[in-house]
Amino acid sequence: MSRYAMIFDKKKCIGCNACVVACQQNYDMPAENKLNWVNVEESGDFPDLKLDFTPQLCAHCSNPQCVDVCPVEDATFRTPEGYVLINPENCIGCSMCVKACPYGARSMNAEDKVAVKCSFCANLVEFGGQPICVGTCPTKCRIFGDLDDPNSEVSKLVAEGNVVRLDAYLDNGTEDFEPNVYYILEEEK
């Protein structure tokens, strides 16, 4: 059994949004339904401006609040591999899961009237592939793998303590959800 996670190396992210575009095109999503996104933070004054890019997506939490609030069995669910998925055929469009997500990783598809979110490209990963965003990233700032495989890069980085989990990164009191998204620790300046 696998337990998947994503690690972002923010130092490598250039904010190109290739990941966002590739994902939207692959899943034929309307522009308002970004399954992953890049937050941009500006600092400094001209000519010493600095842009800080933070890639984000569904955290595929080990204790997902979105699953707990869903009123329909198997509309939103967590798989043994750690994917938090939506079955659009069971989704009634109540948006409870959208409101419950502390990371803003869900939205309602206006056309289909169902909730949508990142799936870690489970349909590809289960056949030996990788998430579209990982394969598309020109700087390789996204690292995806199995936390339970001691030979995977994500497992090694987490074991070495070189990362911080999303809840600690955001410091927003969501540690009980146990997100499976991490950021490489920035070096001391």
Side-chain angles (χ1 to χ4, degrees), residues 5 11 34 40 59 93 96 108 121 130 144 161 174:
K11 294 181 303 293
K34 291 181 174 65
V40 181
M96 296 286 289
M108 294 300 296
C121 292
Q130 61 184 350
F144 180 80
T174 58

Side-chain angles (χ1 to χ4, degrees), residues 81-124:
E81 299 83 13
Y83 302 115
V84 176
L85 302 174
I86 297 171
N87 181 341
E89 294 174 8
N90 293 350
C91 179
I92 61 172
C94 70
S95 76
M96 296 286 289
C97 61
V98 174
K99 295 172 187 159
C101 178
Y103 307 116
R106 289 173 170 254
S107 61
M108 294 300 296
N109 183 312
E111 293 173 19
D112 299 335
K113 299 190 178 11
V114 296
V116 294
K117 59 173 278 314
C118 163
S119 66
F120 270 173
C121 292
N123 57 325
L124 302 175

Side-chain angles (χ1 to χ4, degrees), residues 30 42 47 51 65 86 124 187:
E42 296 178 22
L51 295 177
Q65 186 171 359
I86 297 171
L124 302 175
E187 298 170 4

Side-chain angles (χ1 to χ4, degrees), residues 4 10 23 27 31 33 53 58 63 66 68 81 83 85-86 98 111 115 123 132 141 151 154 157 162 164 176 183 188:
Y4 293 109
K10 287 181 45 171
C23 181
Y27 291 102
N33 294 120
F53 303 108
C58 173
N63 296 312
C66 57
D68 293 342
E81 299 83 13
Y83 302 115
L85 302 174
I86 297 171
V98 174
E111 293 173 19
N123 57 325
I132 295 288
C141 81
N151 295 317
V154 295
L157 287 167
N162 294 333
V164 61
D176 290 346
Y183 292 90
E188 296 289 326

Side-chain angles (χ1 to χ4, degrees), residues 5-120:
M6 179 85 69
I7 297 177
F8 295 114
D9 186 344
K10 287 181 45 171
K11 294 181 303 293
K12 291 183 178 180
C13 182
I14 58 174
C16 69
N17 283 305
C19 54
V20 176
V21 172
C23 181
Q24 294 223 205
Q25 286 180 341
N26 186 67
Y27 291 102
D28 196 25
M29 284 283 129
E32 61 272 11
N33 294 120
K34 291 181 174 65
L35 303 182
N36 74 88
W37 64 97
V38 179
N39 285 334
V40 181
E41 190 174 309
E42 296 178 22
S43 61
D45 294 311
F46 183 80
D48 298 315
L49 282 175
K50 181 180 183 253
L51 295 177
D52 185 49
F53 303 108
T54 305
Q56 289 187 273
L57 45 63
C58 173
H60 293 272
C61 300
S62 293
N63 296 312
Q65 186 171 359
C66 57
V67 171
D68 293 342
V69 301
C70 182
V72 179
E73 188 174 342
D74 292 332
T76 292
F77 59 97
R78 186 170 186 277
T79 70
E81 299 83 13
Y83 302 115
V84 176
L85 302 174
I86 297 171
N87 181 341
E89 294 174 8
N90 293 350
C91 179
I92 61 172
C94 70
S95 76
M96 296 286 289
C97 61
V98 174
K99 295 172 187 159
C101 178
Y103 307 116
R106 289 173 170 254
S107 61
M108 294 300 296
N109 183 312
E111 293 173 19
D112 299 335
K113 299 190 178 11
V114 296
V116 294
K117 59 173 278 314
C118 163
S119 66
F120 270 173

Side-chain angles (χ1 to χ4, degrees), residues 158-172:
V158 170
E160 292 167 3
N162 294 333
V163 298
V164 61
R165 202 170 65 182
L166 175 62
D167 57 306
Y169 178 80
L170 295 175
D171 192 22
N172 66 353

